[in-house]
Amino acid sequence: MTSYVQLICLIVSFLYGILIFYTNKLNNRLMFKKNIFIQVIGNILYINNMALLYICFLYKINNGILHIYFVLFIIVGYLVMSVKKRK
């Protein structure tokens, strides 16, 4: 994998962390005050959909190669947005 492809993957992973932040907030709003069974099923579907979407992005960019620093950039993107929204 070239350094250009790795840079693109890092940027996509960071932006995907931001996307997860906003969709997580939306999912929490939609699942608030619902039956516990609906909450569990909804959260399982949400997690599966977000994971499959990320894998699809990786297959489009770099043939599905996943490195630990891609996951770290997802976490960094999520944390940046959570800190930014608190201010």
Side-chain angles (χ1 to χ4, degrees):
M1 184 173 8
T2 65
S3 59
Y4 177 74
V5 173
Q6 285 184 351
L7 181 64
I8 296 297
C9 288
L10 289 176
I11 292 170
V12 167
S13 296
F14 182 79
L15 294 175
Y16 198 73
I18 294 171
L19 176 73
I20 287 176
F21 177 79
Y22 284 117
T23 57
N24 191 22
K25 284 181 64 170
L26 177 66
N27 186 36
N28 288 338
R29 270 192 230 137
L30 292 176
M31 293 294 152
F32 187 67
K33 291 187 180 178
K34 300 282 183 183
N35 185 359
I36 189 72
F37 180 73
I38 294 173
Q39 286 180 355
V40 169
I41 296 298
N43 285 330
I44 289 172
L45 289 174
Y46 167 73
I47 291 168
N48 284 335
N49 286 338
M50 295 307 286
L52 287 174
L53 185 62
Y54 184 67
I55 291 170
C56 289
F57 283 151
L58 283 182
Y59 269 108
K60 292 287 185 184
I61 297 171
N62 68 357
N63 297 324
I65 300 171
L66 179 67
H67 292 285
I68 188 69
Y69 47 86
F70 295 160
V71 177
L72 292 175
F73 262 75
I74 291 174
I75 294 169
V76 167
Y78 187 88
L79 291 176
V80 164
M81 287 309 296
S82 65
V83 168
K84 186 175 179 182
K85 285 294 179 179
R86 285 187 185 169
K87 290 183 178 183

XYZ file of all heavy atoms in Angstrom:
728
model
N 0.845 -1.165 0.000
C 0.000 0.000 0.000
C 0.897 1.236 0.000
O 1.805 1.348 0.811
C -0.899 -0.031 1.245
C -1.859 1.075 1.297
S -3.118 1.044 2.619
C -2.707 -0.243 3.688
N 0.620 2.145 -0.884
C 1.443 3.345 -0.997
C 1.094 4.331 0.124
O 0.070 4.210 0.786
C 1.222 4.021 -2.362
O -0.139 4.481 -2.427
C 1.507 3.061 -3.504
N 1.954 5.294 0.299
C 1.724 6.288 1.347
C 0.522 7.176 1.012
O -0.178 7.632 1.925
C 2.966 7.138 1.558
O 3.325 7.795 0.375
N 0.262 7.383 -0.278
C -0.907 8.175 -0.675
C -2.199 7.462 -0.269
O -3.110 8.090 0.278
C -0.877 8.411 -2.189
C -2.070 9.164 -2.698
C -2.206 10.529 -2.466
C -3.071 8.512 -3.408
C -3.311 11.223 -2.924
C -4.174 9.194 -3.864
C -4.294 10.542 -3.622
O -5.392 11.224 -4.070
N -2.261 6.167 -0.500
C -3.446 5.390 -0.136
C -3.605 5.358 1.388
O -4.719 5.460 1.904
C -3.362 3.962 -0.725
C -4.487 3.088 -0.215
C -3.373 4.014 -2.239
N -2.515 5.258 2.110
C -2.590 5.278 3.566
C -3.084 6.626 4.080
O -3.880 6.684 5.015
C -1.234 4.961 4.181
C -0.874 3.512 4.103
C 0.421 3.204 4.805
O 1.153 4.104 5.215
N 0.714 1.926 4.948
N -2.630 7.698 3.466
C -3.096 9.029 3.862
C -4.597 9.177 3.610
O -5.322 9.699 4.459
C -2.306 10.113 3.123
C -2.673 11.548 3.450
C -2.359 11.842 4.914
C -1.942 12.502 2.544
N -5.055 8.712 2.467
C -6.488 8.767 2.157
C -7.272 7.934 3.176
O -8.324 8.362 3.662
C -6.747 8.271 0.716
C -6.091 9.196 -0.303
C -8.236 8.122 0.444
C -6.629 10.611 -0.301
N -6.756 6.755 3.518
C -7.426 5.903 4.506
C -7.479 6.563 5.874
O -8.479 6.444 6.592
C -6.732 4.561 4.594
S -7.007 3.516 3.178
N -6.421 7.258 6.263
C -6.409 7.946 7.549
C -7.430 9.085 7.572
O -8.134 9.276 8.566
C -5.017 8.477 7.860
C -3.966 7.439 8.203
C -2.615 8.106 8.382
C -4.350 6.667 9.440
N -7.514 9.820 6.488
C -8.486 10.912 6.404
C -9.904 10.364 6.435
O -10.773 10.883 7.150
C -8.228 11.765 5.140
C -6.910 12.515 5.286
C -9.377 12.728 4.889
C -6.444 13.192 4.011
N -10.154 9.297 5.676
C -11.479 8.675 5.665
C -11.820 8.119 7.046
O -12.954 8.260 7.513
C -11.559 7.584 4.579
C -12.790 6.719 4.738
C -11.533 8.211 3.197
N -10.857 7.525 7.723
C -11.098 6.991 9.059
C -11.427 8.099 10.057
O -12.333 7.956 10.882
C -9.883 6.204 9.545
O -9.673 5.084 8.737
N -10.707 9.215 9.967
C -10.995 10.352 10.846
C -12.402 10.890 10.588
O -13.174 11.126 11.521
C -9.955 11.447 10.634
C -10.135 12.629 11.530
C -9.716 12.576 12.845
C -10.719 13.790 11.060
C -9.882 13.670 13.677
C -10.885 14.882 11.882
C -10.467 14.822 13.193
N -12.750 11.062 9.323
C -14.089 11.546 8.982
C -15.162 10.535 9.364
O -16.284 10.917 9.727
C -14.160 11.878 7.492
C -13.294 13.053 7.040
C -13.352 13.214 5.536
C -13.714 14.331 7.733
N -14.835 9.260 9.298
C -15.787 8.232 9.701
C -16.027 8.281 11.213
O -17.141 8.022 11.662
C -15.293 6.854 9.278
C -16.391 5.828 9.268
C -17.354 5.838 8.272
C -16.484 4.872 10.262
C -18.370 4.919 8.276
C -17.488 3.951 10.262
C -18.436 3.976 9.267
O -19.448 3.063 9.275
N -15.015 8.627 11.981
C -15.204 8.823 13.414
C -16.168 9.963 13.697
O -17.005 9.872 14.600
N -16.079 11.019 12.903
C -17.017 12.143 13.038
C -18.422 11.698 12.656
O -19.405 12.030 13.329
C -16.539 13.333 12.181
C -15.230 13.876 12.747
C -17.597 14.430 12.117
C -14.559 14.901 11.869
N -18.539 10.914 11.597
C -19.836 10.391 11.173
C -20.438 9.496 12.256
O -21.642 9.585 12.535
C -19.694 9.610 9.862
C -20.955 8.927 9.344
C -21.913 9.972 8.801
C -20.609 7.908 8.295
N -19.630 8.681 12.876
C -20.123 7.818 13.953
C -20.622 8.657 15.127
O -21.633 8.330 15.746
C -19.030 6.824 14.398
C -18.847 5.752 13.334
C -19.376 6.177 15.728
C -17.735 4.785 13.626
N -19.939 9.756 15.416
C -20.384 10.623 16.510
C -21.800 11.142 16.259
O -22.666 11.051 17.127
C -19.415 11.796 16.675
C -19.842 12.774 17.719
C -19.638 12.496 19.057
C -20.441 13.965 17.366
C -20.032 13.399 20.030
C -20.842 14.868 18.331
C -20.634 14.589 19.664
N -22.042 11.669 15.066
C -23.354 12.235 14.774
C -24.431 11.163 14.652
O -25.556 11.347 15.133
C -23.305 13.076 13.497
C -22.643 14.409 13.725
C -21.470 14.743 13.086
C -23.190 15.336 14.598
C -20.851 15.960 13.297
C -22.592 16.562 14.826
C -21.428 16.862 14.167
O -20.818 18.067 14.385
N -24.119 10.039 14.045
C -25.133 8.984 13.939
C -25.400 8.337 15.288
O -26.517 7.876 15.540
C -24.723 7.922 12.906
O -23.460 7.368 13.259
C -24.695 8.493 11.507
N -24.406 8.319 16.163
C -24.620 7.797 17.509
C -25.571 8.697 18.288
O -26.447 8.213 19.011
C -23.286 7.658 18.234
C -23.401 6.893 19.521
O -24.330 6.130 19.710
N -22.450 7.105 20.400
N -25.408 10.004 18.150
C -26.331 10.935 18.802
C -27.751 10.753 18.271
O -28.712 10.752 19.037
C -25.865 12.373 18.592
C -24.699 12.771 19.461
C -24.285 14.193 19.234
C -25.386 15.120 19.638
N -24.970 16.536 19.662
N -27.869 10.580 16.953
C -29.183 10.374 16.356
C -29.793 9.059 16.826
O -30.986 9.009 17.155
C -29.068 10.387 14.828
C -30.352 10.121 14.050
C -31.341 11.245 14.279
C -30.050 9.940 12.587
N -28.998 8.017 16.881
C -29.495 6.719 17.341
C -29.953 6.801 18.801
O -30.984 6.226 19.150
C -28.405 5.660 17.183
C -28.904 4.276 17.503
O -30.037 3.934 17.216
N -28.047 3.475 18.092
N -29.216 7.513 19.628
C -29.621 7.654 21.028
C -30.926 8.430 21.158
O -31.758 8.107 22.006
C -28.519 8.340 21.835
C -27.333 7.434 22.057
O -27.450 6.219 21.983
N -26.187 8.031 22.317
N -31.110 9.444 20.326
C -32.372 10.193 20.361
C -33.549 9.337 19.914
O -34.636 9.437 20.476
C -32.283 11.421 19.462
C -31.783 12.621 20.180
C -31.986 13.871 19.373
N -30.712 14.564 19.358
C -30.158 15.132 18.329
N -30.774 15.129 17.173
N -28.992 15.715 18.417
N -33.327 8.514 18.892
C -34.414 7.682 18.382
C -34.769 6.548 19.339
O -35.925 6.128 19.399
C -34.040 7.099 17.018
C -33.929 8.095 15.875
C -33.461 7.396 14.612
C -35.261 8.780 15.630
N -33.789 6.060 20.082
C -34.018 4.924 20.972
C -34.411 5.334 22.391
O -34.684 4.481 23.222
C -32.761 4.038 21.041
C -32.441 3.355 19.769
S -33.722 2.170 19.377
C -33.598 2.137 17.613
N -34.459 6.629 22.670
C -34.781 7.100 24.007
C -36.239 6.788 24.328
O -37.128 7.015 23.511
C -34.520 8.606 24.106
C -34.677 9.153 25.490
C -33.789 8.787 26.477
C -35.700 10.014 25.797
C -33.916 9.283 27.769
C -35.836 10.525 27.070
C -34.951 10.155 28.054
N -36.498 6.250 25.504
C -37.830 5.904 26.000
C -38.532 4.861 25.135
O -39.736 4.910 24.938
C -38.705 7.143 26.116
C -38.265 8.089 27.206
C -39.261 9.201 27.373
C -38.804 10.140 28.465
N -39.718 11.266 28.643
N -37.775 3.925 24.604
C -38.364 2.809 23.871
C -38.283 1.562 24.745
O -37.642 1.543 25.785
C -37.612 2.550 22.558
C -37.610 3.699 21.600
C -38.900 3.804 20.885
C -38.810 4.941 19.878
N -39.975 5.203 19.170
N -38.952 0.536 24.307
C -38.887 -0.752 24.975
C -37.442 -1.247 24.965
O -36.708 -1.016 24.015
C -39.799 -1.726 24.225
C -39.919 -3.065 24.892
O -39.299 -3.303 25.932
N -40.718 -3.922 24.317
N -37.027 -1.949 26.012
C -35.640 -2.409 26.113
C -35.300 -3.370 24.988
O -34.184 -3.365 24.478
C -35.370 -3.036 27.507
C -33.882 -3.323 27.714
C -36.159 -4.312 27.684
C -33.072 -2.108 27.919
N -36.244 -4.177 24.556
C -36.009 -5.105 23.447
C -35.741 -4.337 22.152
O -34.819 -4.662 21.406
C -37.222 -6.034 23.280
C -37.061 -7.015 22.169
C -36.204 -8.094 22.302
C -37.771 -6.866 20.992
C -36.054 -9.010 21.277
C -37.629 -7.768 19.960
C -36.775 -8.849 20.098
N -36.495 -3.298 21.909
C -36.303 -2.474 20.706
C -34.967 -1.742 20.781
O -34.271 -1.598 19.775
C -37.483 -1.498 20.535
C -38.762 -2.282 20.237
C -37.210 -0.483 19.430
C -40.012 -1.448 20.208
N -34.575 -1.287 21.961
C -33.284 -0.618 22.120
C -32.131 -1.555 21.807
O -31.183 -1.170 21.110
C -33.125 -0.093 23.548
C -33.935 1.125 23.855
C -33.728 1.592 25.287
O -33.044 0.943 26.080
N -34.327 2.723 25.622
N -32.189 -2.782 22.302
C -31.109 -3.743 22.067
C -31.020 -4.088 20.588
O -29.936 -4.071 19.993
C -31.312 -5.008 22.939
C -30.371 -6.125 22.515
C -31.123 -4.676 24.398
N -32.144 -4.393 19.966
C -32.154 -4.736 18.540
C -31.698 -3.547 17.697
O -30.902 -3.693 16.762
C -33.558 -5.210 18.097
C -33.936 -6.498 18.832
C -33.628 -5.410 16.601
C -33.022 -7.664 18.554
N -32.161 -2.357 18.031
C -31.757 -1.157 17.298
C -30.271 -0.882 17.408
O -29.620 -0.521 16.428
N -29.705 -1.050 18.585
C -28.271 -0.821 18.771
C -27.424 -1.876 18.069
O -26.377 -1.558 17.508
C -27.926 -0.768 20.253
C -28.364 0.538 20.884
O -28.404 1.565 20.217
N -28.704 0.490 22.142
N -27.878 -3.123 18.081
C -27.154 -4.172 17.356
C -27.163 -3.887 15.859
O -26.123 -4.006 15.185
C -27.750 -5.560 17.678
C -27.409 -5.952 19.109
C -27.246 -6.617 16.696
C -28.111 -7.193 19.588
N -28.300 -3.493 15.333
C -28.382 -3.155 13.907
C -27.525 -1.938 13.569
O -26.868 -1.897 12.519
C -29.835 -2.907 13.497
C -30.725 -4.142 13.449
C -32.166 -3.730 13.176
C -30.232 -5.104 12.389
N -27.514 -0.952 14.450
C -26.701 0.242 14.225
C -25.217 -0.108 14.176
O -24.496 0.319 13.271
C -26.977 1.274 15.335
C -25.981 2.390 15.389
C -25.991 3.381 14.419
C -25.024 2.451 16.388
C -25.068 4.411 14.461
C -24.112 3.467 16.434
C -24.133 4.449 15.471
O -23.210 5.461 15.509
N -24.756 -0.908 15.131
C -23.336 -1.276 15.174
C -22.959 -2.095 13.945
O -21.904 -1.862 13.327
C -23.035 -2.043 16.482
C -23.148 -1.106 17.673
C -21.663 -2.688 16.431
C -23.164 -1.817 19.013
N -23.804 -3.049 13.572
C -23.514 -3.855 12.385
C -23.467 -3.014 11.118
O -22.592 -3.203 10.269
C -24.542 -4.973 12.224
C -24.317 -6.098 13.191
O -23.205 -6.315 13.662
N -25.378 -6.816 13.513
N -24.405 -2.095 10.977
C -24.434 -1.249 9.780
C -23.207 -0.347 9.694
O -22.625 -0.191 8.620
C -25.701 -0.398 9.756
C -26.916 -1.216 9.416
O -26.830 -2.280 8.814
N -28.075 -0.725 9.817
N -22.803 0.229 10.818
C -21.643 1.109 10.792
C -20.364 0.327 10.499
O -19.498 0.806 9.763
C -21.510 1.868 12.125
C -22.659 2.829 12.385
S -22.993 3.984 11.056
C -21.644 5.093 11.240
N -20.238 -0.867 11.031
C -19.053 -1.687 10.770
C -19.008 -2.122 9.307
O -17.948 -2.058 8.664
C -19.042 -2.898 11.687
N -20.131 -2.547 8.769
C -20.165 -2.968 7.366
C -19.917 -1.798 6.410
O -19.247 -1.966 5.386
C -21.502 -3.628 7.042
C -21.702 -5.018 7.624
C -23.120 -5.502 7.367
C -20.697 -5.977 7.048
N -20.410 -0.637 6.762
C -20.168 0.537 5.929
C -18.690 0.902 5.911
O -18.131 1.231 4.856
C -21.001 1.716 6.438
C -20.960 2.998 5.615
C -21.520 2.746 4.224
C -21.756 4.073 6.319
N -18.027 0.795 7.055
C -16.591 1.085 7.105
C -15.797 0.064 6.296
O -14.853 0.416 5.583
C -16.107 1.122 8.550
C -14.656 1.523 8.660
C -14.251 2.804 8.311
C -13.696 0.628 9.096
C -12.928 3.183 8.398
C -12.368 0.996 9.183
C -11.996 2.278 8.827
O -10.673 2.647 8.894
N -16.175 -1.181 6.394
C -15.496 -2.213 5.604
C -15.698 -1.973 4.115
O -14.766 -2.142 3.317
C -15.985 -3.613 6.027
C -15.479 -3.917 7.430
C -15.525 -4.686 5.059
C -16.077 -5.153 8.053
N -16.880 -1.547 3.726
C -17.125 -1.216 2.310
C -16.251 -0.054 1.855
O -15.716 -0.074 0.739
C -18.596 -0.897 2.083
S -19.683 -2.314 2.178
N -16.105 0.953 2.710
C -15.215 2.071 2.372
C -13.781 1.593 2.184
O -13.095 1.993 1.254
C -15.251 3.151 3.451
C -16.459 4.034 3.430
C -16.921 4.615 4.594
C -17.145 4.299 2.261
C -18.027 5.440 4.588
C -18.256 5.114 2.240
C -18.691 5.683 3.403
N -13.339 0.715 3.079
C -11.968 0.212 2.967
C -11.780 -0.629 1.703
O -10.718 -0.583 1.087
C -11.596 -0.607 4.203
C -11.251 0.190 5.445
C -10.845 -0.752 6.567
C -10.162 1.193 5.185
N -12.784 -1.392 1.322
C -12.661 -2.169 0.085
C -12.578 -1.265 -1.136
O -11.882 -1.570 -2.093
C -13.819 -3.154 -0.065
C -13.519 -4.493 0.533
C -14.143 -4.900 1.705
C -12.601 -5.347 -0.053
C -13.865 -6.115 2.266
C -12.307 -6.569 0.500
C -12.936 -6.952 1.654
O -12.645 -8.162 2.215
N -13.279 -0.151 -1.111
C -13.210 0.796 -2.237
C -11.855 1.487 -2.308
O -11.346 1.755 -3.385
C -14.313 1.858 -2.116
C -15.690 1.345 -2.307
C -15.935 1.028 -3.741
C -17.386 0.622 -3.923
N -17.671 0.205 -5.261
N -11.265 1.776 -1.160
C -10.031 2.551 -1.135
C -8.796 1.669 -1.284
O -7.933 1.931 -2.122
C -9.946 3.375 0.171
C -11.081 4.378 0.222
C -8.619 4.086 0.266
C -11.214 5.073 1.551
N -8.690 0.622 -0.445
C -7.435 -0.133 -0.413
C -7.622 -1.648 -0.370
O -6.824 -2.349 0.245
C -6.564 0.321 0.759
C -7.169 -0.056 2.086
O -8.245 -0.604 2.153
N -6.462 0.242 3.146
N -8.649 -2.153 -0.994
C -8.929 -3.590 -1.068
C -9.166 -4.230 0.294
O -8.890 -5.398 0.497
C -7.805 -4.333 -1.799
C -7.679 -3.882 -3.232
O -8.674 -3.581 -3.879
N -6.463 -3.829 -3.719
N -9.671 -3.485 1.241
C -10.094 -4.027 2.528
C -9.004 -4.281 3.539
O -9.219 -5.034 4.481
N -7.864 -3.672 3.387
C -6.780 -3.858 4.355
C -7.046 -2.955 5.559
O -7.199 -1.750 5.416
C -5.419 -3.541 3.724
C -5.175 -4.453 2.534
C -4.318 -3.666 4.749
C -3.972 -4.078 1.712
N -7.100 -3.571 6.730
C -7.383 -2.837 7.957
C -6.142 -2.844 8.835
O -5.576 -3.889 9.122
C -8.548 -3.483 8.711
C -8.945 -2.845 10.019
C -9.522 -1.460 9.774
C -9.951 -3.701 10.739
N -5.718 -1.659 9.248
C -4.591 -1.517 10.163
C -5.103 -0.918 11.468
O -6.136 -0.256 11.508
C -3.511 -0.605 9.581
C -2.819 -1.182 8.392
N -1.888 -2.173 8.486
C -2.936 -0.903 7.069
C -1.447 -2.491 7.278
N -2.077 -1.735 6.404
N -4.356 -1.119 12.526
C -4.767 -0.639 13.836
C -4.825 0.885 13.876
O -5.666 1.461 14.554
C -3.864 -1.201 14.954
C -4.418 -0.862 16.335
C -2.444 -0.692 14.841
C -5.680 -1.575 16.668
N -3.979 1.554 13.117
C -4.002 3.017 13.166
C -5.213 3.588 12.432
O -5.594 4.721 12.681
C -2.700 3.645 12.661
C -2.162 3.103 11.361
C -2.586 3.609 10.156
C -1.190 2.107 11.348
C -2.092 3.126 8.967
C -0.681 1.620 10.170
C -1.141 2.135 8.972
O -0.653 1.657 7.802
N -5.857 2.824 11.561
C -7.131 3.282 10.990
C -8.197 3.320 12.080
O -8.973 4.272 12.176
C -7.585 2.368 9.861
C -6.689 2.352 8.653
C -6.734 1.309 7.760
C -5.799 3.381 8.395
C -5.927 1.276 6.640
C -4.973 3.363 7.292
C -5.041 2.309 6.414
N -8.225 2.288 12.912
C -9.182 2.241 14.017
C -8.870 3.345 15.022
O -9.789 3.983 15.550
C -9.157 0.847 14.688
C -10.091 0.798 15.876
C -9.505 -0.239 13.681
N -7.606 3.601 15.263
C -7.240 4.686 16.178
C -7.692 6.037 15.646
O -8.121 6.899 16.417
C -5.734 4.680 16.430
C -5.200 3.499 17.229
C -3.680 3.552 17.302
C -5.794 3.477 18.616
N -7.628 6.232 14.332
C -8.088 7.499 13.769
C -9.606 7.630 13.844
O -10.124 8.740 13.965
C -7.595 7.664 12.331
C -6.358 8.504 12.234
C -5.122 7.994 12.606
C -6.425 9.809 11.803
C -3.986 8.759 12.539
C -5.295 10.589 11.725
C -4.064 10.064 12.098
N -10.325 6.524 13.787
C -11.776 6.586 14.014
C -12.049 7.055 15.433
O -12.886 7.931 15.667
C -12.425 5.207 13.762
C -12.372 4.852 12.292
C -13.880 5.207 14.232
C -12.852 3.449 11.985
N -11.323 6.502 16.391
C -11.499 6.894 17.788
C -11.107 8.354 17.993
O -11.800 9.095 18.697
C -10.688 5.954 18.702
C -11.259 4.542 18.628
C -10.673 6.455 20.137
C -10.397 3.485 19.265
N -10.029 8.794 17.358
C -9.600 10.193 17.475
C -10.664 11.124 16.880
O -10.985 12.161 17.474
C -8.227 10.406 16.796
C -7.914 11.874 16.619
C -7.138 9.720 17.588
N -11.229 10.768 15.739
C -12.287 11.588 15.144
C -13.496 11.694 16.042
O -14.087 12.765 16.202
N -13.867 10.583 16.660
C -15.001 10.588 17.583
C -14.701 11.457 18.804
O -15.537 12.254 19.225
C -15.321 9.159 18.020
C -16.573 9.040 18.842
C -17.805 8.873 18.228
C -16.536 9.116 20.232
C -18.960 8.766 18.977
C -17.676 9.017 20.988
C -18.884 8.838 20.352
O -20.027 8.754 21.101
N -13.504 11.301 19.358
C -13.143 12.082 20.548
C -13.012 13.569 20.254
O -13.389 14.407 21.087
C -11.848 11.546 21.151
C -11.935 10.162 21.785
C -10.562 9.711 22.254
C -12.928 10.142 22.918
N -12.505 13.917 19.096
C -12.400 15.333 18.718
C -13.786 15.968 18.673
O -14.001 17.069 19.183
C -11.668 15.485 17.369
C -11.868 16.860 16.767
C -10.189 15.193 17.545
N -14.739 15.255 18.092
C -16.086 15.820 18.017
C -16.759 15.875 19.386
O -17.486 16.833 19.677
C -16.944 15.016 17.039
C -16.575 15.241 15.598
S -16.488 16.987 15.138
C -18.149 17.505 15.362
N -16.522 14.882 20.234
C -17.147 14.921 21.555
C -16.567 16.050 22.404
O -17.297 16.705 23.151
C -17.003 13.576 22.258
O -15.659 13.296 22.524
N -15.266 16.320 22.286
C -14.670 17.430 23.018
C -15.127 18.757 22.442
O -15.428 19.706 23.166
C -13.128 17.313 23.009
C -12.466 18.592 23.500
C -12.685 16.121 23.829
N -15.222 18.828 21.117
C -15.647 20.071 20.463
C -17.094 20.417 20.797
O -17.441 21.572 20.983
C -15.478 19.927 18.950
C -15.741 21.171 18.191
C -15.451 20.996 16.718
C -15.755 22.276 15.976
N -15.538 22.135 14.544
N -17.959 19.430 20.892
C -19.367 19.685 21.204
C -19.591 20.066 22.663
O -20.590 20.683 22.987
C -20.222 18.446 20.874
C -20.435 18.271 19.401
C -21.271 19.406 18.872
C -21.486 19.258 17.393
N -22.297 20.316 16.846
N -18.681 19.679 23.540
C -18.823 20.049 24.946
C -18.543 21.510 25.196
O -19.003 22.107 26.147
C -17.896 19.206 25.815
C -18.385 17.817 25.997
C -17.538 17.078 26.983
N -17.981 15.696 27.031
C -17.329 14.731 27.631
N -16.173 15.008 28.226
N -17.787 13.533 27.634
N -17.714 22.126 24.347
C -17.351 23.539 24.553
C -18.430 24.462 24.126
O -19.349 24.292 23.523
C -16.068 23.850 23.781
C -14.875 23.182 24.392
C -13.621 23.555 23.660
C -12.447 22.896 24.330
N -11.190 23.266 23.718
